[in-house]
Amino acid sequence: MAVARTKAELLRLKRSEERTAFVPTMGALHEGHLALAALAKTKAPRVVVSIFVNPTQFAPNEDFESYPRDLEGDLKKLEAAGVDLVYTPGLEDIYPAGPCVSLKAGKEATGLESDFRPHFFDGVVTVVSRLFEQIRPDLAIFGEKDYQQMMVVREMVRNLGLPIEIVAAPIVRDDYGLALSSRNAYLNDAQLITARCLNKILLVPPENPEQALLAAGFEKVDYVARRWGRILAAAWIGKARLIDNMQSGR
Ligand code: AMP
């Protein structure tokens, strides 16, 4: 497995003629990320994974500094997963003029996450477009866990006319249905019990899902909403903000 730690190293590697599948991540990898890498391997002979905690998708009051990081552990997992190349750029490789957004997300970014994290999707499309530019994949895999993000990236690719297919990967969950997330590391045992109620409430939504989430121990519910034939939610326990979504009959 090759590791490129800078843009210069990435560009020095001979550009492969092989069809390339790309999985962008922020690291602290878990089985959800590895499932994306495994899906990538079925789609293309060459798999590239990036690890970059993107400052422009965090607001100043959010968890950029404390976001979990485990580069050496991540590299071992990716090697075992059969990934061909890992790109771990530095800040200056993605933001040579300093971290700021240079692209605006389109209509899919309206509402839901944007109502609570207005900076978020402009940061996502900025970093993803720069990674696409540097890696030039044929396809890229995004998890349905971040469903709105996947839709926003699809819209960006369409709007820019990029020759990149966006493939959606199903959500990987623990034995209790909790969607795996790097931020689950913030949860203590009692909070984990509450967190595991989120998927059950979305699976069989009661009349008032927000009320049910609060009763289950969530401290604040940002939204429960239906869009794209899904029911999507974001809710807080302690310093963890959990998101999840499921296919919805309505
Ligand atoms: P992140 O490192 O959180 O930015 O996630 C990188 C990619 O992995 C995104 O496309 C996420 O949607 C995806 N992902 C994260 N957690 C899961 C999960 N539990 N199941 C499926 N995909 C996931």
Side-chain angles (χ1 to χ4, degrees):
M1 184 176 77
V3 180
R5 292 181 191 261
T6 62
K7 180 178 173 187
E9 279 180 32
L10 179 77
L11 300 182
R12 225 178 287 133
L13 292 168
K14 206 160 72 77
R15 174 113 20 244
S16 173
E17 294 305 308
E18 285 180 319
R19 199 172 134 78
T20 296
F22 173 45
V23 181
T25 81
M26 298 205 300
L29 301 180
H30 51 64
E31 290 298 324
H33 298 112
L34 299 178
L36 267 55
L39 180 59
K41 272 185 83 74
T42 71
K43 300 270 177 196
R46 179 167 177 262
V47 173
V48 178
V49 174
S50 65
I51 298 174
F52 180 67
V53 184
N54 174 36
T56 66
Q57 68 191 67
F58 291 79
N61 61 328
E62 292 183 345
D63 57 348
F64 174 70
E65 297 296 338
S66 60
Y67 192 84
R69 289 163 170 87
D70 176 22
L71 185 55
E72 291 318 307
D74 289 347
L75 292 179
K76 286 194 190 108
K77 289 174 190 170
L78 294 174
E79 171 116 63
V83 166
D84 298 284
L85 167 64
V86 183
Y87 181 38
T88 64
L91 198 58
E92 61 288 357
D93 296 309
I94 303 294
Y95 297 108
C100 58
V101 299
S102 53
L103 194 58
K104 276 194 80 61
K107 290 193 182 66
E108 297 288 23
T110 310
L112 303 179
E113 287 297 297
S114 292
D115 286 345
F116 299 89
R117 307 183 72 198
H119 55 283
F120 178 68
F121 287 121
D122 292 346
V124 168
V125 293
T126 295
V127 73
V128 170
S129 65
R130 290 179 186 203
L131 289 166
F132 282 0
E133 172 78 29
Q134 294 182 19
I135 290 165
R136 298 186 175 273
D138 297 280
L139 65 114
I141 318 260
F142 286 80
E144 289 186 342
K145 155 98 189 325
D146 303 273
Y147 203 88
Q148 189 178 16
Q149 169 174 279
M150 187 269 295
M151 297 301 290
V152 165
V153 170
R154 268 205 179 134
E155 183 183 26
M156 173 196 87
V157 163
R158 224 172 28 242
N159 286 344
L160 296 177
L162 300 178
I164 301 172
E165 181 193 353
I166 302 302
V167 175
I171 301 174
V172 177
R173 301 175 178 282
D174 75 5
D175 291 345
Y176 303 86
L178 172 64
L180 301 187
S181 165
S182 308
R183 289 191 171 99
N184 291 353
Y186 299 152
L187 301 171
N188 64 29
D189 288 352
Q191 292 170 331
L192 194 55
I193 291 172
T194 294
R196 286 172 168 156
C197 296
L198 174 57
N199 71 94
K200 297 187 180 68
I201 290 167
L202 294 182
L203 187 61
V204 187
E207 197 154 328
N208 188 338
E210 292 207 12
Q211 185 57 45
L213 288 167
L214 294 170
F218 283 91
E219 286 147 33
K220 180 170 175 284
V221 179
D222 279 353
Y223 61 83
V224 180
R226 287 185 165 84
R227 202 191 280 184
W228 307 297
R230 324 253 332 160
I231 179 166
L232 309 98
W236 288 87
I237 323 174
K239 66 178 182 123
R241 182 177 184 274
L242 304 191
I243 62 170
D244 197 355
N245 69 89
M246 300 238 176
Q247 207 163 7
S248 152
R250 275 197 275 153

